[in-house]
Amino acid sequence: MPQIYAVGNQKGGSGKTTTAVNLAAYAALAGRKVLVVDLDPQANCTTHLGVDRELFELTSYDLLVDDAVSLADVLTPSCIDGLMAVPSDEDLGGAEVEMVGEIGRELRLRQALASADDFDLIIIDCPPSLGLLTVNALTAAEALIVPVECEFFALEGVAVLTRNVEIIQERLNPDLKIAAIVPTKFDRRKNLCRDALDYMREFFGKQVTKTVVRTNVSLAEAPTQGEPIALYSPSSHGGEDYRSLAREIFKVRLK
Ligand SMILES: Nc1ncnc2c1ncn2[C@@H]1O[C@H](COP(=O)(O)OP(=O)(O)OP(=O)(O)O)[C@@H](O)[C@H]1O
Ligand SMILES: [Mg+2]
């Protein structure tokens, strides 16, 4: 059975998609069979993975709302061998409303991923909210990766997220763990950034990864080329940091 990770934080722009895509790419380059599920109607993850829009018709929306659609129907290749995607598009925005009245609506993704035996690792990119899409991700996953921007107010959001994780543990998924809190967009020249990182380590202790993802222009450019940093600029700070993060979280062997 694959290991299933959700990458979530209801705060927008915290680095979820960047983290999901780049961790997935390094895990695939280390030889793992990886699936990325784009569960955000913004579809940034789909774009960043270089998924060709000509190659898919069905998306994570269909997987969630249509019983007749199976995982195999929505798998789409990405720009990296060994890395498949379940793409998304703006239609997914309607899924939360459409699923509201349905019994078992929180379990749709978990059920859809039950047939994912061909993969070693599944990474789900969550939208910036704690709505039904994120609840589906947290119910399907065994572990949550939380990217947190190194700024002061970001920490309150993590406390809110942690409480929501406890609710999901009680009601839907007792196995769910917080695997890692990942400091992102770190700029050591800024006092506030350094202070925020210190607070993060103080409050969340060992849950915070040793690897800190620095602010890096290549990481911001890579999505526009539809390439993970591992292809776009592996020797950049962003490349170094996500390679190190993949080693730390997934214990993969990478040079
Ligand atoms: N370490 C970094 N250095 C520089 N730019 C970054 C870094 N991490 C992310 N970015 C940029 O910041 C923006 C937000 O990042 P990203 O899309 O990964 O966040 P997100 O949490 O997925 O956002 P959303 O909540 O909208 O889904 C993007 O333009 C991305 O390229
Ligand atoms: Mg995103």
XYZ file of all heavy atoms in Angstrom, residues 16-82:
494
model
N 2.288 25.445 -0.182
C 1.752 24.071 -0.289
C 2.076 23.446 -1.644
O 2.635 22.348 -1.725
C 0.213 24.071 -0.138
C -0.270 24.453 1.228
C -1.780 24.471 1.294
C -2.429 25.631 0.577
N -2.122 26.961 1.121
N 1.695 24.151 -2.704
C 1.852 23.573 -4.038
C 3.331 23.400 -4.375
O 3.739 22.357 -4.901
C 1.147 24.472 -5.074
O -0.234 24.562 -4.707
C 1.269 23.903 -6.474
N 4.137 24.387 -4.056
C 5.586 24.302 -4.295
C 6.166 23.089 -3.571
O 6.993 22.350 -4.128
C 6.258 25.612 -3.806
O 5.601 26.717 -4.437
C 7.736 25.644 -4.124
N 5.703 22.877 -2.346
C 6.209 21.755 -1.554
C 5.709 20.417 -2.102
O 6.498 19.471 -2.254
C 5.785 21.946 -0.074
O 6.352 23.183 0.386
C 6.240 20.805 0.806
N 4.426 20.343 -2.440
C 3.863 19.082 -2.963
C 4.579 18.676 -4.253
O 5.028 17.531 -4.402
C 2.362 19.242 -3.210
N 4.706 19.617 -5.169
C 5.300 19.319 -6.479
C 6.771 18.929 -6.342
O 7.221 17.933 -6.916
C 5.165 20.556 -7.407
C 6.064 20.434 -8.621
C 3.718 20.738 -7.826
N 7.512 19.698 -5.580
C 8.964 19.466 -5.548
C 9.340 18.241 -4.720
O 10.262 17.505 -5.090
C 9.683 20.737 -5.103
C 9.585 21.802 -6.184
O 9.857 21.533 -7.357
N 9.143 22.993 -5.815
N 8.592 17.996 -3.645
C 8.839 16.749 -2.910
C 8.516 15.545 -3.785
O 9.255 14.559 -3.823
C 7.989 16.691 -1.639
C 8.442 17.529 -0.450
C 7.475 17.325 0.711
C 9.858 17.162 -0.027
N 7.400 15.640 -4.502
C 6.985 14.526 -5.371
C 8.039 14.275 -6.444
O 8.398 13.125 -6.728
C 5.630 14.841 -6.007
N 8.552 15.352 -7.026
C 9.534 15.202 -8.103
C 10.808 14.534 -7.584
O 11.327 13.604 -8.212
C 9.860 16.576 -8.696
N 11.296 14.969 -6.431
C 12.530 14.354 -5.907
C 12.301 12.906 -5.499
O 13.180 12.058 -5.692
C 13.119 15.181 -4.758
C 13.938 16.344 -5.283
C 13.566 17.654 -5.063
C 15.095 16.099 -6.040
C 14.314 18.709 -5.573
C 15.840 17.149 -6.555
C 15.446 18.450 -6.324
O 16.196 19.485 -6.835
N 11.127 12.615 -4.959
C 10.846 11.215 -4.598
C 10.817 10.350 -5.863
O 11.347 9.240 -5.875
C 9.526 11.124 -3.841
N 10.232 10.884 -6.937
C 10.179 10.125 -8.200
C 11.590 9.940 -8.755
O 11.941 8.862 -9.244
C 9.277 10.834 -9.204
N 12.409 10.973 -8.684
C 13.786 10.874 -9.192
C 14.618 9.908 -8.346
O 15.612 9.366 -8.825
C 14.438 12.263 -9.221
C 13.850 13.205 -10.276
C 14.375 14.624 -10.095
C 14.129 12.707 -11.693
N 14.194 9.696 -7.108
C 14.885 8.717 -6.264
C 14.355 7.303 -6.503
O 14.753 6.368 -5.805
C 14.717 9.098 -4.791
N 13.428 7.170 -7.443
C 12.979 5.831 -7.828
C 11.630 5.404 -7.264
O 11.166 4.298 -7.544
N 10.991 6.284 -6.489
C 9.661 5.930 -5.986
C 8.616 6.146 -7.079
O 8.759 7.051 -7.898
C 9.279 6.819 -4.789
C 10.244 6.751 -3.636
C 9.831 5.715 -2.616
N 10.844 5.633 -1.575
C 10.702 6.169 -0.353
N 9.608 6.800 -0.025
N 11.664 6.047 0.533
N 7.591 5.304 -7.056
C 6.457 5.523 -7.964
C 5.479 6.467 -7.262
O 4.908 6.113 -6.223
C 5.791 4.194 -8.305
C 6.599 3.420 -9.355
C 5.944 2.122 -9.712
C 6.352 1.074 -8.706
N 5.691 -0.203 -8.844
N 5.317 7.659 -7.825
C 4.645 8.733 -7.098
C 3.400 9.208 -7.847
O 3.398 9.317 -9.073
C 5.606 9.934 -6.909
C 4.951 11.019 -6.063
C 6.919 9.487 -6.273
N 2.367 9.480 -7.071
C 1.148 10.085 -7.613
C 0.891 11.401 -6.880
O 0.932 11.440 -5.650
C -0.042 9.140 -7.392
C -1.429 9.711 -7.732
C -1.545 10.025 -9.219
C -2.525 8.734 -7.314
N 0.643 12.458 -7.634
C 0.237 13.731 -7.033
C -1.231 13.970 -7.359
O -1.634 13.872 -8.515
C 1.078 14.898 -7.587
C 0.540 16.227 -7.075
C 2.536 14.745 -7.183
N -2.016 14.248 -6.327
C -3.432 14.554 -6.536
C -3.626 16.052 -6.334
O -3.363 16.576 -5.243
C -4.327 13.767 -5.544
C -5.801 14.101 -5.792
C -4.079 12.273 -5.664
N -4.062 16.734 -7.377
C -4.333 18.172 -7.284
C -5.762 18.343 -6.791
O -6.716 18.066 -7.519
C -4.140 18.834 -8.660
C -4.158 20.349 -8.556
O -4.586 20.881 -7.513
O -3.733 21.009 -9.534
N -5.895 18.796 -5.543
C -7.231 18.936 -4.953
C -7.589 20.418 -4.773
O -8.371 20.767 -3.899
C -7.270 18.201 -3.606
C -8.574 17.489 -3.270
C -8.940 16.467 -4.327
C -8.484 16.816 -1.913
N -7.001 21.244 -5.620
C -7.250 22.686 -5.540
C -7.803 23.158 -6.889
O -7.168 22.925 -7.922
C -5.928 23.408 -5.225
C -6.113 24.896 -5.002
O -7.203 25.435 -5.331
O -5.169 25.540 -4.518
N -8.983 23.819 -6.880
C -9.552 24.322 -8.141
C -8.634 25.319 -8.860
O -8.799 25.545 -10.060
C -10.850 25.020 -7.714
C -11.118 24.579 -6.324
C -9.835 24.101 -5.718
N -7.685 25.910 -8.157
C -6.732 26.816 -8.825
C -5.825 26.055 -9.797
O -5.209 26.658 -10.678
C -5.835 27.514 -7.810
C -6.560 28.415 -6.823
C -5.580 29.064 -5.832
O -5.136 30.188 -6.052
N -5.245 28.369 -4.766
N -5.697 24.739 -9.584
C -4.924 23.850 -10.472
C -3.462 24.275 -10.650
O -2.837 23.962 -11.655
C -5.601 23.720 -11.843
N -2.904 24.944 -9.658
C -1.490 25.349 -9.760
C -0.559 24.145 -9.824
O 0.467 24.161 -10.495
C -1.077 26.191 -8.546
C -1.817 27.501 -8.492
O -2.280 27.998 -9.509
N -1.955 28.077 -7.316
N -0.942 23.120 -9.123
C -0.127 21.915 -9.071
C -0.086 21.242 -10.449
O 0.972 20.813 -10.911
C -0.797 21.007 -8.034
S 0.127 19.638 -7.495
N -1.224 21.185 -11.091
C -1.326 20.593 -12.433
C -0.410 21.342 -13.401
O 0.353 20.733 -14.162
C -2.803 20.663 -12.902
O -3.618 19.981 -11.952
C -2.987 20.054 -14.280
N -0.460 22.654 -13.358
C 0.385 23.484 -14.225
C 1.861 23.290 -13.901
O 2.692 23.114 -14.791
C 0.040 24.985 -14.020
O -1.370 25.126 -14.066
C 0.692 25.851 -15.063
N 2.170 23.331 -12.605
C 3.574 23.245 -12.168
C 4.202 21.907 -12.569
O 5.402 21.819 -12.838
C 3.621 23.434 -10.653
C 4.963 23.764 -10.113
N 5.142 24.261 -8.864
C 6.201 23.655 -10.625
C 6.428 24.454 -8.641
N 7.090 24.088 -9.697
N 3.382 20.863 -12.627
C 3.899 19.536 -12.996
C 4.012 19.367 -14.505
O 4.362 18.297 -14.990
C 2.986 18.441 -12.436
C 3.156 18.152 -10.946
C 2.014 17.276 -10.459
C 4.490 17.478 -10.685
N 3.700 20.420 -15.247
C 3.814 20.332 -16.697
C 2.834 19.346 -17.311
O 3.125 18.732 -18.336
N 1.676 19.186 -16.668
C 0.670 18.267 -17.225
C 0.022 18.935 -18.444
O -0.481 20.050 -18.355
C -0.403 17.922 -16.167
C -1.512 17.084 -16.784
C 0.229 17.194 -14.991
N 0.072 18.226 -19.550
C -0.448 18.744 -20.814
C -1.984 18.703 -20.788
O -2.583 17.644 -20.648
C 0.104 17.848 -21.939
C -0.289 18.354 -23.312
O -1.180 19.231 -23.403
O 0.304 17.854 -24.280
N -2.598 19.869 -20.919
C -4.061 19.933 -20.829
C -4.771 19.172 -21.943
O -5.945 18.840 -21.831
C -4.530 21.388 -20.822
C -4.265 21.967 -19.481
C -4.694 23.369 -19.261
N -4.164 23.743 -17.959
C -4.868 23.680 -16.829
N -6.122 23.314 -16.845
N -4.310 23.987 -15.678
N -4.063 18.915 -23.028
C -4.636 18.110 -24.116
C -4.790 16.645 -23.693
O -5.531 15.896 -24.313
C -3.703 18.125 -25.339
C -3.346 19.514 -25.830
C -4.504 20.144 -26.585
O -4.952 19.528 -27.559
O -4.959 21.227 -26.170
N -4.017 16.268 -22.665
C -3.959 14.841 -22.318
C -5.053 14.382 -21.361
O -5.181 13.206 -21.088
C -2.595 14.497 -21.691
C -1.389 14.516 -22.628
C -0.136 14.122 -21.866
C -1.616 13.559 -23.795
N -5.793 15.333 -20.817
C -6.834 14.870 -19.882
C -8.160 15.571 -20.123
O -8.215 16.711 -20.570
C -6.388 15.044 -18.430
C -6.257 16.477 -17.953
C -7.341 17.165 -17.442
C -5.028 17.128 -17.991
C -7.213 18.473 -16.989
C -4.893 18.438 -17.541
C -5.994 19.104 -17.044
N -9.208 14.803 -19.832
C -10.551 15.381 -19.820
C -11.115 15.317 -18.418
O -11.772 16.227 -17.952
C -11.464 14.608 -20.766
C -11.408 15.152 -22.172
C -12.292 14.368 -23.108
O -13.337 13.842 -22.665
O -11.923 14.269 -24.289
N -10.840 14.184 -17.748
C -11.378 13.999 -16.407
C -10.377 14.502 -15.376
O -9.163 14.449 -15.584
C -11.670 12.519 -16.178
C -12.702 11.904 -17.123
C -12.798 10.414 -16.905
C -14.065 12.567 -16.940
N -10.922 14.973 -14.262
C -10.064 15.579 -13.229
C -10.442 15.037 -11.848
O -11.330 14.179 -11.725
C -10.258 17.108 -13.201
O -11.608 17.350 -12.763
C -10.026 17.738 -14.562
N -9.788 15.608 -10.821
C -10.118 15.210 -9.452
C -11.596 15.505 -9.147
O -12.209 14.827 -8.311
C -9.201 15.910 -8.447
O -9.192 17.289 -8.660
N -12.170 16.485 -9.826
C -13.603 16.762 -9.666
C -14.425 15.514 -10.001
O -15.284 15.079 -9.225
C -14.004 17.935 -10.572
C -15.495 18.107 -10.717
C -16.233 18.788 -9.750
C -16.175 17.587 -11.820
C -17.604 18.941 -9.872
C -17.547 17.739 -11.953
C -18.253 18.406 -10.970
O -19.603 18.542 -11.088
N -14.149 14.931 -11.174
C -14.904 13.741 -11.591
C -14.683 12.588 -10.624
O -15.609 11.837 -10.307
C -14.476 13.332 -13.008
C -14.705 14.462 -14.000
O -15.860 14.691 -14.370
O -13.725 15.151 -14.358
N -13.440 12.462 -10.155
C -13.114 11.377 -9.229
C -13.944 11.491 -7.944
O -14.385 10.494 -7.377
C -11.614 11.421 -8.906
C -11.029 10.222 -8.187
C -11.147 8.963 -9.041
C -9.570 10.477 -7.826
N -14.167 12.733 -7.500
C -14.903 12.926 -6.243
C -16.415 12.821 -6.412
O -17.101 12.294 -5.544
C -14.573 14.298 -5.636
C -13.166 14.476 -5.097
C -12.963 15.910 -4.623
C -12.897 13.523 -3.949
N -16.937 13.339 -7.521
C -18.405 13.447 -7.604
C -19.067 12.333 -8.410
O -20.264 12.114 -8.276
C -18.880 14.820 -8.161
C -18.367 15.963 -7.308
C -18.490 14.989 -9.612
N -18.285 11.624 -9.245
C -18.909 10.655 -10.145
C -18.480 9.230 -9.766
O -17.321 8.853 -9.925
C -18.475 10.978 -11.592
C -19.231 10.146 -12.612
O -19.855 9.134 -12.214
O -19.182 10.506 -13.805
N -19.429 8.468 -9.283
C -19.142 7.088 -8.851
C -18.591 6.223 -9.979
O -17.885 5.249 -9.729
C -20.425 6.420 -8.335
C -20.725 6.852 -6.925
O -19.785 7.299 -6.242
O -21.902 6.768 -6.524
N -18.939 6.573 -11.210
C -18.528 5.743 -12.349
C -17.071 5.991 -12.749
O -16.510 5.258 -13.555
C -19.444 6.021 -13.538
N -16.455 7.041 -12.195
C -15.075 7.372 -12.551
C -14.126 6.759 -11.527
O -14.298 6.941 -10.321
C -14.892 8.909 -12.611
C -13.435 9.286 -12.779
C -15.725 9.491 -13.753
N -13.119 6.017 -12.020
C -12.152 5.401 -11.104
C -10.799 6.100 -11.234
O -10.577 6.888 -12.170
C -11.990 3.920 -11.423
O -11.237 3.791 -12.616
N -9.895 5.774 -10.324
C -8.570 6.407 -10.336
C -7.884 6.220 -11.696
O -7.308 7.165 -12.245
C -7.718 5.818 -9.203
C -6.317 6.419 -9.060
C -6.389 7.907 -8.731
C -5.524 5.680 -7.999
N -7.976 5.023 -12.237
C -7.311 4.746 -13.519
C -7.785 5.694 -14.625
O -7.010 6.051 -15.518
C -7.569 3.294 -13.924
N -9.044 6.134 -14.527
C -9.598 7.020 -15.568
C -8.991 8.424 -15.532
O -9.065 9.159 -16.518
C -11.117 7.177 -15.392
C -11.845 5.854 -15.520
O -11.371 4.999 -16.283
O -12.880 5.681 -14.840
N -8.459 8.825 -14.395
C -8.011 10.216 -14.257
C -6.490 10.359 -14.185
O -5.978 11.479 -14.106
C -8.641 10.907 -13.013
C -10.125 11.082 -13.188
C -8.334 10.134 -11.749
N -5.747 9.243 -14.213
C -4.286 9.325 -14.123
C -3.716 9.957 -15.388
O -4.060 9.551 -16.500
C -3.681 7.930 -13.948
C -3.942 7.241 -12.618
C -3.299 5.855 -12.616
C -3.412 8.079 -11.465
N -2.838 10.926 -15.218
C -2.254 11.652 -16.350
C -0.742 11.765 -16.128
O -0.313 12.039 -15.005
C -2.862 13.079 -16.418
O -4.284 12.976 -16.314
C -2.520 13.780 -17.710
N 0.069 11.557 -17.169
C 1.522 11.674 -16.980
C 1.958 13.119 -16.724
O 1.293 14.063 -17.159
C 2.108 11.193 -18.312
C 0.980 10.795 -19.172
C -0.305 11.192 -18.532
N 3.059 13.265 -16.022
C 3.632 14.599 -15.788
C 4.932 14.708 -16.581
O 5.258 13.831 -17.369
C 3.918 14.774 -14.298
O 5.087 14.048 -13.958
N 5.691 15.774 -16.331
C 6.953 15.963 -17.054
C 8.076 15.088 -16.483
O 9.193 15.111 -16.992
C 7.358 17.437 -17.039
S 7.654 18.065 -15.393
N 7.810 14.321 -15.440
C 8.847 13.462 -14.848
C 8.397 11.998 -14.917
O 7.262 11.680 -14.546
C 9.126 13.878 -13.387
C 9.826 15.228 -13.387
C 9.941 12.836 -12.638
C 10.353 15.682 -12.069
N 9.295 11.136 -15.388
C 8.997 9.700 -15.422
C 8.752 9.210 -14.001
O 9.454 9.605 -13.077
C 10.206 8.921 -15.975
C 10.258 8.988 -17.483
O 9.246 9.387 -18.100
O 11.319 8.657 -18.037
N 7.783 8.337 -13.863
C 7.524 7.790 -12.534
C 6.685 8.703 -11.664
O 6.475 8.424 -10.489
